[in-house]
Amino acid sequence: MSLLLQVAINGLIAGSIYALVSSGFSLIYNTNKFMHFAHGASVAVSGYFLYGFFAIIKLNFFYSLSLTLIFSALLGLLIYRIIYLPLQNRKASNVILLIASISILILLQNLILLLFGANVKDIEFVEVKKGLEFFGAVITLTQIVILLTAVLFFIFLYFFMNKTILGKNMRAVSENKELASIVGINSRKISDFSFLIGSFLGGAAGILIAVEQNITPTMGTILMIKGFTGAVIGGISSVPAAVLGSYLLGLAENFGIVFLPSGYKDAISFVLLFLFLLFRPEGIIGGKRRTK
Amino acid sequence: MLHIKNLHAGYNGLEILKGINLKVGKKEIVALVGPNGAGKSTVIKSIFNLAKITGGYIFFNNKNILGLKTHELLKEGVCYLNQGRTIFGNLTVRENLELGARLIKNKEEVKKRISAIYKKFQILKKRENDFAYTLSGGQQQVLGLGRALITKPKILLLDEPSLGLSPKLQKELFLMIKKIKKDGISILIVEQNAKKAIELADRTYLLEDGKIALEGSGGFILKHKKIKEVYLGGRY
Ligand SMILES: Nc1ncnc2c1ncn2[C@@H]1O[C@H](COP(=O)(O)OP(=O)(O)OP(=O)(O)O)[C@@H](O)[C@H]1O
Ligand SMILES: [Mg+2]
């Protein structure tokens, strides 16, 4: 019982992080209809922003946090404006944009490597404390914060998408860009916002990882794969589905390593990714609603 | 009110319209008919700045509207209902109407206009919180019309609004369009169903291969040999 509970908690914590990565990725994908894999680098860079502001410049933690979120969002916007948009204006296909996104991912990771070196960094905000124990399972305070932060962000995102004008416009552009422009929506502007908000969410993921664990230059790639897998499992054409899929992925990984050596964690996610791409590419929820 | 003069337009390098002249008067329904690929949609798209215009003029109330941005056109009172899907399926009925009214900043005014649309099309009121993809094809088209009318346009550009509707629903739609005209709105309508459109319209243009082949009132057009050949006796 306590083992199951512990595994479930671990799964939900991993899932929270994946879901934050995946929600931003999926928001950008649905609005712009291309895969922004450099999103993974945004996540990693935000970890290093936090490290820079907090551990190097030694700003207070909440300033560091806010600045990191702002810078992450702006980095996303910058990538859109200086890389993707000019390519789109030259009528580049989505495959070209995909390749560009992977190039940016690699470029940013190498930039981190150049500036901060290859070794693992720890921002040492919280000293390792013994976790709280309940029903035999252990959860640390940081982990509780992660769980709550993620949920809070998703509630915020839900209200944003469904109750605000900007959110409704974003859903309209996601569904049918041409029609959106006919009703007078400036889809360029909506793309700007999708990158800002999507990268903000990715930035939040980077912060949580930096606080709970530690950061490495290449962490973006594996996180991007996890976030992407989560999105595929849930259904890439909807943000809530991507979030759900990511939590399922976190749980699957952690339940999987009850039976398998823990080194197989990533393998579980790759296997799931391939299975879904082969047999249910629209994901668990996808395909129910008619889009387009 | 709408005056198109010697319009040349197309899509990157490809000229589709080769000198079109067309007028729509105040409170007038004008039909634009012609075979598939003649360029009917392109005429409407040119007015709404969605095609590449290479020559000519488009005046609306004596103002040159060529090249205006979408929101500027909407402000001028030009509204466009495109061919095919005219609504957002993943948004609710009400949200679709709100999108139509998005240029109106006053929230009370938006509410008022939505109620007015509900009064006109009661089915929309009944389904207001349902996702639009759950509506039937006819209801979706009504929602599209509602979304367009909420802007209180002076002219409505309709591209094959009856596409995919049953004959009964087509009839209802044409009745609605007549009512819209009574409210003082001019209409330029493109239709596959030439006979119905000609009967509905005050005047008709026949477009063939990017040129106006024929122009006239309903009676004249319906009796014309050319229309009889191409549409009424032949393929349609
Ligand atoms: N976006 C586009 N890019 C390039 N060519 C286009 C584009 N849209 C239409 N065309 C071409 O322009 C020509 C006229 O198209 P248009 O849609 O205006 O015809 P239509 O009279 O509306 O036909 P239909 O009855 O099928 O709707 C066609 O040959 C079409 O292939
Ligand atoms: Mg057409």
Side-chain angles (χ1 to χ4, degrees), chain B residues 71-87:
Chain B
H71 63 97
E72 294 166 332
L73 286 161
L74 289 169
K75 274 192 190 135
E76 290 295 326
V78 183
C79 195
Y80 164 51
L81 212 59
N82 55 303
Q83 183 173 350
R85 195 159 270 273
T86 60
I87 52 128

Side-chain angles (χ1 to χ4, degrees), chain B residues 161-174:
Chain B
S162 74
L163 196 76
L165 298 187
S166 70
K168 184 171 162 271
L169 287 174
Q170 288 191 7
K171 217 172 171 180
E172 284 175 24
L173 183 80
F174 283 135

Side-chain angles (χ1 to χ4, degrees), chain B residues 55-74:
Chain B
Y57 305 92
I58 303 176
F59 291 102
F60 186 64
N61 288 334
N62 300 320
K63 185 177 168 188
N64 185 6
I65 57 164
L66 206 115
L68 288 191
K69 295 211 176 79
T70 309
H71 63 97
E72 294 166 332
L73 286 161
L74 289 169

Side-chain angles (χ1 to χ4, degrees), chain B residues 41 83 159-160:
Chain B
S41 297
Q83 183 173 350
D159 196 348
E160 305 208 18

Side-chain angles (χ1 to χ4, degrees), chain B residues 11 14 16 35-42 45 83 159-160 192:
Chain B
Y11 307 95
L14 185 70
I16 306 289
N36 284 109
K40 305 180 298 291
S41 297
T42 308
K45 282 186 192 167
Q83 183 173 350
D159 196 348
E160 305 208 18
Q192 279 293 324

Side-chain angles (χ1 to χ4, degrees), chain B residues 106-137:
Chain B
N106 182 340
K107 277 192 180 160
E108 285 309 306
E109 175 66 17
V110 173
K111 272 189 194 157
K112 247 194 234 159
R113 291 203 188 184
I114 290 180
S115 313
I117 295 291
Y118 284 159
K119 227 179 224 164
K120 218 179 232 136
F121 310 116
Q122 274 151 25
I123 179 68
L124 299 182
K125 166 84 185 158
K126 246 184 249 160
R127 307 290 303 272
E128 82 169 304
N129 294 317
D130 294 345
F131 283 111
Y133 75 91
T134 65
L135 301 183
S136 71

Side-chain angles (χ1 to χ4, degrees), chain A residues 184-198:
Chain A
I185 298 173
N186 180 346
S187 64
R188 250 288 318 285
K189 226 194 230 160
I190 298 296
S191 289
D192 279 354
F193 279 109
S194 74
F195 272 90
L196 275 173
I197 296 165

